[in-house]
Amino acid sequence: MENEIAIIKTTTATLENAKMLAHTLVFEKFAACAQIGAEIQSVYNWDGETKCETEIPVEFKTSPEKAHAAVERLAAIHPYECPQIVAFRAAANKSYADWCAENTR
């Protein structure tokens, strides 16, 4: 697919943690940008219990070539013991794909 970007998604417990993850990956050029979303409610099983917690979603945009390194860096600095880190490729308009590549060099 031509004009691809990589999208990486995660969640974290606080807005402060979300900002730290976003600023770190953008500053270190693992991501061209990060978008911090509004609070969501996550329901999941952990340590044999069903939990319902408020979380903050964060979505990163990067070049496909930088995606693996970005996932590794995100995992290294994420405050969760077992963070949700999901990455996939997506088609993008050429100017945006070029911008993502340029800002992750």
Side-chain angles (χ1 to χ4, degrees), residues 41-87:
Q41 293 296 307
S42 295
V43 179
Y44 58 95
N45 290 314
W46 187 254
D47 289 334
E49 294 181 39
T50 300
K51 307 274 187 173
C52 182
E53 303 286 341
T54 299
E55 290 188 296
I56 307 296
V58 186
E59 186 173 281
F60 302 90
K61 309 307 189 315
T62 191
S63 65
E65 297 77 22
K66 202 74 174 241
H68 182 75
V71 166
E72 287 185 346
R73 180 64 174 137
L74 181 57
I77 64 171
H78 203 292
Y80 284 3
E81 179 182 339
C82 179
Q84 166 203 299
I85 301 175
V86 179

